Amino acid sequence: MAEQPLLEDEADQRGVLRRAAPYLRPHRAKLAVALAVGLADSAALVAVAPLIGLAADAVTDRERGTLGLAVLLLVLFAAAQLVLARVGELLLIKGGEQVVRTLREQCVENLATAPLRFLETHRSGELLRRATGEVAALAAFVRLHLRNLVASAATLLFTLVVLAGYSWLLLLVQLAVFLPLTFLVTRWFQRDAGAAFGGKAGAEATVAATFSETLTAREALQTSRGLPGWTTRFERENAHAVRAARRALRVENRIDLVSLVEGLALVVLLLVGGWLVGRGSLDIGAVVVFVVAGRNLFDSFADLSQLVGEVQTARTGLARLLDLLAATEPAPAPARPATRAELPPRGELRCEQVEYAYRADGKVLHAMTLAFPVGSRTGVVGETGSGKTTLSKLLCGLYPPDAGTVSFAGTDLREIPEPELRRRIVLVPQEVRMVSGTIADNLALVQGDPDRARIERTVDQLGLREWLGELPGGLDAEVGQRGGNLSAGERQILGLVRAVLADPAVLVLDEATADIDPATAARLEHALDELRADCTLVVIAHRPATIARMPRVVRLDGGRLVDDGSAAGAPSGRATGPLITG
């Protein structure tokens, strides 16, 4: 059995930028321009300190011309800095948002094509948190903090270069006081930051997952009186999330100690600078430059220290998102995938010695060999847990078999491109999903975008016009959120109509009549009789009336085939006229 990768709550944050590089590459030109403008902005800001120092020396030496030039340059650099800051901010935010958009779209695309086994292994709330919450957090970081991060880092670097040009001795004294203490504070923060912020993100994801399940299972919780126990569980997980958030906040507050270090470094700067001026080793203007530029230096460190928590949060979210993208990355295309021209419109569906297991300690299907000829009508029966639903998903290519092959018209389903596979084999599950909108909107959710006329012809062909007329609004009736305005049976009927609109070669129904009333089941069974003769039909059902309509019945027991229905003879579909498809 191919084990599914499990996403860890605390994602590995090593090499995050390297892992993100493929998603940055398409935007590297725009990001480079934004960074260049940001560097120019920081350079203009840093140039202010030397100009103030020049003005201070000019006042001391009574040089009016030099003073006027310094003032003029100050005005020009200040104006340039304002313009560059605004332009750089807009460019950087725009480029960052495009990167976030790429990640968001890739995440949606990967999840839409992810193996069903992977999706079923994880809680929907956890996947939702990574696909939406982490992306939203990255977008907020780009809008609010990315520009400050770049500007602070560039200003710090340029300031060190300028100060080294004035007095390397005074710079070394300043750095000797500032850097070791700052390094110790930063190391203290980093020691626990990964676990603290990762634990916070994981705890919040757990709360989100439980809350999502609460909405899904609300009716069952209320009717079974299980809500108090579930509420207790939610409160326990929420309390854990609060503790994790407090721990992350305590770790983040360690960075505030850098402000104390800055004050100490400034005192030492003034004492040593005054001593050097008194000895004649340094001009007053240089000391002024150190005081002004030192402010830039400390502010940059302060900004960076304040951003450390935001950077760590964004880094954690990015790592969790990249883990999701890596786990759901589409499998490489087959060396020679089947094309539409190579696949006939209709063909035999066959599974040969198929085996499947959800866990390594037990198989669900054992050496299953079955053939479904073109136009056959087959019922699949068996006790709960016999493997019927698993078989349906294997027949549709939603699960790849652990052993053996499932083929259509002689071609392994794994070699058929996804669009072609979905065009030929369609599954109607027991729980049909609906989107907000009208019945017509939901019926149009198939390949080919069928128009209203085609939808109405298909409804008539399936003998469902009278049923549709009983709904207020007919095709324009609102289905409500998650199809709440319709009964389970009505959603099943719409699922069948939607499947028929796709004009599949094979239609698989998994317990389509299990939870619906006899009258609705009769409508659905009558509609099945109206399928075109060459459409292969596989029906998994418990209802005797549904199975009785099937010329061939396959029986499963404990994941093994106990009766392949061959005694009933080679079945053929009822020739009730062609299915209208356009």
Side-chain angles (χ1 to χ4, degrees):
M1 185 192 80
E3 296 290 346
Q4 287 300 297
L6 289 176
L7 298 173
E8 299 290 340
D9 285 342
E10 298 183 13
D12 186 359
Q13 299 178 28
R14 294 173 296 180
V16 169
L17 292 180
R18 174 182 53 79
R19 293 163 57 196
Y23 305 101
L24 299 175
R25 195 170 296 120
H27 311 288
R28 59 182 180 272
K30 294 179 180 178
L31 291 175
V33 172
L35 289 175
V37 175
L39 292 177
D41 166 34
S42 297
L45 177 63
V46 172
V48 170
L51 291 175
I52 293 177
L54 178 63
D57 285 336
V59 171
T60 302
D61 299 337
R62 302 178 182 276
E63 295 180 0
R64 295 184 178 181
T66 303
L67 178 60
L69 176 62
V71 171
L72 177 61
L73 291 176
L74 274 172
V75 172
L76 293 176
F77 273 85
Q81 196 269 329
L82 288 175
V83 174
L84 290 171
R86 181 58 177 166
V87 174
E89 180 180 12
L90 291 175
L91 290 176
L92 197 57
I93 289 178
K94 184 177 180 180
E97 288 283 5
Q98 289 178 342
V99 173
V100 171
R101 177 183 175 183
T102 298
L103 289 170
R104 181 186 294 113
E105 292 176 348
Q106 189 64 54
C107 188
V108 172
E109 181 179 341
N110 281 20
L111 283 176
T113 58
L116 188 60
R117 182 187 283 183
F118 173 84
L119 299 177
E120 293 176 343
T121 302
H122 295 83
R123 300 173 73 183
S124 59
E126 165 66 12
L127 298 178
L128 183 65
R129 168 72 183 184
R130 291 182 187 247
T132 59
E134 308 299 4
V135 173
L138 283 174
F141 176 80
V142 166
R143 287 192 299 269
L144 302 175
H145 306 298
L146 183 58
R147 187 260 174 185
N148 290 339
L149 178 64
V150 173
S152 298
T155 300
L156 178 63
L157 177 62
F158 293 155
T159 300
L160 290 174
V161 173
V162 169
L163 294 182
Y166 276 86
S167 173
W168 60 267
L169 177 60
L170 190 57
L171 177 60
L172 287 179
V173 170
Q174 193 170 16
L175 294 180
V177 176
F178 184 74
L179 287 183
L181 294 176
T182 302
F183 175 77
L184 291 176
V185 171
T186 304
R187 287 287 296 173
W188 188 31
F189 168 83
Q190 291 178 339
R191 186 187 65 188
D192 300 321
F197 286 94
K200 175 186 174 184
E204 290 175 347
T206 299
V207 170
T210 300
F211 184 75
S212 176
E213 291 178 355
T214 302
L215 296 178
T216 303
R218 62 189 184 280
E219 292 183 5
L221 291 173
Q222 291 175 351
T223 56
S224 65
R225 298 184 180 180
L227 192 58
W230 187 264
T231 302
T232 300
R233 171 184 170 180
F234 183 81
E235 290 175 348
R236 183 172 62 251
E237 293 175 350
N238 194 37
H240 175 66
V242 171
R243 290 194 298 271
R246 288 175 177 171
R247 179 192 179 195
L249 183 60
R250 287 195 299 270
V251 172
E252 186 175 357
N253 286 339
R254 296 174 185 177
I255 293 297
D256 292 338
L257 294 176
V258 174
S259 299
L260 296 177
V261 179
E262 292 174 5
L264 178 61
L266 182 58
V267 171
V268 174
L269 168 66
L270 293 175
L271 291 175
V272 176
W275 177 71
L276 290 175
V277 170
R279 291 185 54 190
S281 301
L282 200 64
D283 295 333
I284 293 179
V287 177
V288 171
V289 170
F290 265 87
V291 172
V292 176
R295 187 69 267 162
N296 289 339
L297 187 69
F298 297 146
D299 285 347
S300 297
F301 269 112
D303 290 342
L304 288 175
S305 64
Q306 293 297 324
L307 287 171
V308 166
E310 301 296 340
V311 171
Q312 184 62 46
T313 299
R315 186 166 177 253
T316 300
L318 180 59
R320 285 167 53 82
L321 184 60
L322 291 174
D323 278 0
L324 176 62
L325 291 173
T328 56
E329 184 177 1
R336 185 180 177 274
T339 64
R340 187 172 185 179
E342 294 172 334
L343 286 173
R346 310 291 175 190
E348 180 185 63
L349 181 65
R350 184 178 184 85
C351 56
E352 187 77 30
Q353 293 296 308
V354 164
E355 296 184 352
Y356 189 83
Y358 291 100
R359 299 183 303 272
D361 58 353
K363 295 179 182 179
V364 178
L365 296 180
H366 303 263
M368 189 75 65
T369 297
L370 275 170
F372 303 91
V374 176
S376 62
R377 302 291 195 262
T378 305
V380 179
V381 298
E383 298 294 331
T384 300
S386 61
K388 303 186 302 298
T389 294
T390 301
L391 176 62
S392 71
K393 293 177 179 178
L394 284 163
L395 293 176
C396 296
L398 295 175
Y399 287 168
D402 296 327
T405 59
V406 181
S407 61
F408 173 80
T411 301
D412 193 318
L413 298 190
R414 288 170 290 197
E415 298 179 3
I416 302 177
E418 187 77 12
E420 295 302 316
L421 177 60
R422 298 293 159 242
R423 182 178 288 112
R424 285 166 171 77
I425 306 176
V426 172
L427 170 69
V428 179
Q430 182 174 348
E431 185 177 354
V432 176
R433 301 293 182 180
M434 295 283 142
V435 299
S436 298
T438 66
I439 289 178
D441 294 334
N442 279 271
L443 292 180
L445 295 177
V446 297
Q447 296 187 53
D449 298 324
D451 57 21
R452 192 180 184 93
R454 179 180 165 193
I455 292 174
E456 292 188 353
R457 288 196 301 270
T458 303
V459 169
D460 290 337
Q461 181 68 25
L462 293 175
L464 297 172
R465 173 61 64 181
E466 181 181 353
W467 166 80
L468 186 64
E470 296 173 358
L471 299 178
L475 288 176
D476 296 317
E478 291 287 337
V479 302
Q481 188 176 8
R482 299 187 182 92
N485 293 345
L486 304 174
S487 68
E490 289 169 338
R491 291 195 294 271
Q492 284 289 347
I493 290 176
L494 292 181
L496 175 62
V497 177
R498 190 160 60 190
V500 172
L501 281 167
D503 188 21
V506 180
L507 180 59
V508 181
L509 279 75
D510 182 13
E511 301 286 8
T513 61
D515 300 323
I516 59 180
D517 60 273
T520 304
R523 285 194 180 98
L524 189 61
E525 290 158 359
H526 174 72
L528 294 178
D529 290 339
E530 303 303 320
L531 292 176
R532 61 188 295 169
D534 60 354
C535 177
T536 304
L537 179 63
V538 180
V539 178
I540 296 171
H542 280 112
R543 289 175 59 88
T546 303
I547 294 299
R549 291 174 174 267
M550 299 294 107
R552 175 192 180 197
V553 177
V554 170
R555 299 184 183 279
L556 305 183
D557 183 17
R560 301 180 187 277
L561 182 65
V562 295
D563 184 358
D564 64 0
S566 58
S572 61
R574 291 179 175 86
T576 57
L579 175 66
I580 297 178
T581 59

